[in-house]
Structures are given as structure tokens and as C-alpha cells.
Amino acid sequence: MAGGKSSAMFRPRTVGEAVEMLAAAHESGTAVALLGGGTDLVPALRSGERSAETVVALRRVLELRVRGAGADSLTIGAGVTYTDLDGWSLSPGLARAARVVGSVQIRNTGTVGGALGSARPGGDLLTFLTAADAEVLTVSPRGPERMPLPRFLADGLAPDALVTAVRLARPGGPQVYLKIGGRQAAYPAVVSCAVLVDRVRHRLTCAIGGVGLLPVRMGEAERYARDEVDWSTGTVSSSAARRFGDLVVEAAARVSPALPAGPRGSAEYRWHAAGVLAGRAFARCLHLTAPPVGEPARGSAAGGQP
């Protein structure tokens, strides 16, 4: 139901059929909604928050449910569910992010394409993909296209185009995803953080969700980490870990437009939480060297997952 009115439902079996349906609807001026898992769309249609004359259901398009691995990259179809990603050994950080999304029912039905389409400020998958420099693969009557995730989120999807997959680099080191919410598995994240380390390229990336309208990269903190990490051993000082968290707090406070204060946290709380999560994720990705005499140790030396 869409605003109390029935919507026509189409169920293509291939990407080509889906694009043809979208193109025809666009040419006729018909309002279309894409249905993957339906975790966001169905409630929005029932409440009248969204309306659509035509719904294109994608569950039968098996091409969208494929995961693949190349020499340097991973490709994940838009129809891949969170449950599909849980435990995926080729990307432990992505598996961790998928594991803490919603309830079991949400993870069984929610999809990668849905995460991109809903673009929630603290979205678990979106925060991780932002840190991973992911690309979004789309197809339309004009052919296939690939674009960086930030451009996709800024420009949106053309009305006759379909997201087919996301692509990201294979892990080059430890990856950590952390979030703060009412309960880890039952509520959307208030604040989320992803830190990825590439020991080969001597690079660390960090994204924070929940402080702005979309997840944001912490460029200043990333540059600081690049110079402070001993890349030959994967170690960093405890003072550098604290400074990394402080830089994230400072950057989070400068994000504009900031999310308004809500019942689950003021802006100041979210900035502080971002720094705490970033410091913890940083410490878990790298081994902390012993602190100076008299200074208490902070963080843990565990690489990989929380």
C-alpha cells in the first residue's frame, strides 16, 4: 500500500528486465520504488511517508545476490543481505558491521542496496563502506557506471538507473567497526566508527557515522596516524592513540550540517562518543607500545575484530 492506494508490482528476473521497467516508468512519468528487502520501504509506504505508483521487486534478480573476489578487490551485489555478509572471511570488518545491524529478521532481509538507498546518518554498512573507499556500480539505459560512494550519496541515483553492486579493496590489515546504540542488535546506531588499516600501503582510514547527515571521513586524524604508526611493526604509542581520538572529536564538531539534538544524545555527546569509539578502534587495529613510566596504559593491543 502506498498512501492508502494500491501500487502495481513488477518482479523482473534479470538486471536487464529491471532496467527496462525503470526506463519505461521514467519515460511515462510514473513514480517508482525499488523493493529489495523492504525493511525501510514497506513501513514508509504503509505510513504514507513515501508513495509509488509502481514497485519493482528485485528479490528474483539473482545477479544482484552475487559476491565476488578479484586479485585486489571485492564486489558485493546490491541484493546481498546482512546475513550473507556475516562471517564472510574475505572482509572481516564488513562482516562485523553486518553482524550488528538490527534484529535477526532485519539481517535476513535487509540488503546492501537498501543500505545505500536509505542512507541513514549512522548506518552500519554505510559507515564501513565510507572508510573502505567503496565504489557504487550502477546500470541504466546508458550503460554501466561506477562512481565513488561520496558522489553517489551526494548526487543520488538517476530515476532510470539501478544499483547493481559495491566494490571495495581487499583488506590489507586489521579492520574494526564499533557503534553505540540503545542495544547493539535492536536499535540503529547513535554513533558508529570504522577504522581500516592497510599495512602494505602504510595507510589508515577512519569514518564516523551519526554526527552529520552522512558518514564522514576523518582526514586530519588519518594523516596524523600515517605519520605516527611504525608500519614495520604495526605499533603506535598510547599518546598517539589518545591524540587520534582527540582529532576525531575536533573534526566531528566541525561537521556541517550537524545532526540536531535528539532524545538519544546531544551533539556534544555524539562528538565525544565519536572520539571514544575512534580511539578504541585505533588501538584495536594496532599494537600499543608501552606507555612512559607513571602513565597508565589505555586501550588494548588486539588486532582485528572487537
Side-chain angles (χ1 to χ4, degrees), residues 157-179:
L157 186 65
D160 58 351
L162 176 70
V163 173
T164 58
V166 293
R167 182 168 293 158
L168 58 154
R170 295 187 71 147
Q175 302 177 342
V176 165
Y177 177 79
L178 300 174
K179 65 187 283 189

Side-chain angles (χ1 to χ4, degrees), residues 10-244:
F10 293 97
R11 294 181 173 85
R13 292 185 176 275
T14 67
V15 167
E17 288 181 4
V19 172
E20 288 178 7
M21 291 176 183
L22 290 173
H26 176 57
E27 291 175 3
S28 66
T30 302
V32 178
L34 294 170
L35 176 63
T39 55
D40 289 317
L41 178 63
V42 171
L45 290 175
R46 287 176 175 168
S47 67
E49 179 184 345
R50 289 191 60 181
S51 62
E53 299 169 82
T54 299
V55 174
V56 179
L58 301 171
R59 294 288 291 177
R60 296 181 181 179
V61 185
L62 298 183
E63 299 164 75
L64 299 179
R65 303 197 65 178
V66 174
R67 297 177 302 181
D72 301 312
S73 65
L74 302 174
T75 303
I76 304 152
V80 171
T81 67
Y82 299 114
T83 297
D84 293 334
L85 293 175
D86 184 1
W88 196 28
S89 61
L90 292 181
S91 185
L94 186 61
R96 170 63 182 172
R99 193 175 306 134
V100 296
V101 172
S103 64
V104 173
Q105 292 81 2
I106 293 295
R107 293 194 294 274
N108 285 341
T109 56
T111 63
V112 171
L116 294 174
S118 61
R120 294 183 180 277
D124 299 289
L125 218 61
L126 208 58
T127 300
F128 183 89
L129 292 175
T130 298
D133 287 322
E135 289 183 315
V136 180
L137 310 186
T138 67
V139 65
S140 72
R142 295 168 296 283
E145 184 180 1
R146 48 197 289 182
M147 64 184 79
L149 178 60
R151 181 158 70 87
F152 170 85
L153 295 174
D155 297 346
L157 186 65
D160 58 351
L162 176 70
V163 173
T164 58
V166 293
R167 182 168 293 158
L168 58 154
R170 295 187 71 147
Q175 302 177 342
V176 165
Y177 177 79
L178 300 174
K179 65 187 283 189
I180 292 175
R183 285 185 292 166
Q184 284 286 309
Y187 292 92
V190 175
V191 180
S192 56
C193 172
V195 171
L196 283 65
V197 171
D198 189 330
R199 291 283 299 274
V200 176
R201 296 175 179 82
H202 296 180
R203 185 169 179 258
L204 179 147
T205 59
C206 175
I208 298 293
V211 296
L213 298 181
L214 293 169
V216 289
R217 286 283 290 273
M218 299 286 105
E220 186 176 352
E222 292 177 359
R223 291 186 289 273
Y224 173 80
R226 180 187 59 202
D227 296 332
E228 291 295 321
V229 173
D230 182 339
W231 293 104
S232 64
T233 60
T235 58
V236 69
S237 69
S238 55
S239 60
R242 290 196 297 274
R243 179 57 182 158
F244 182 84

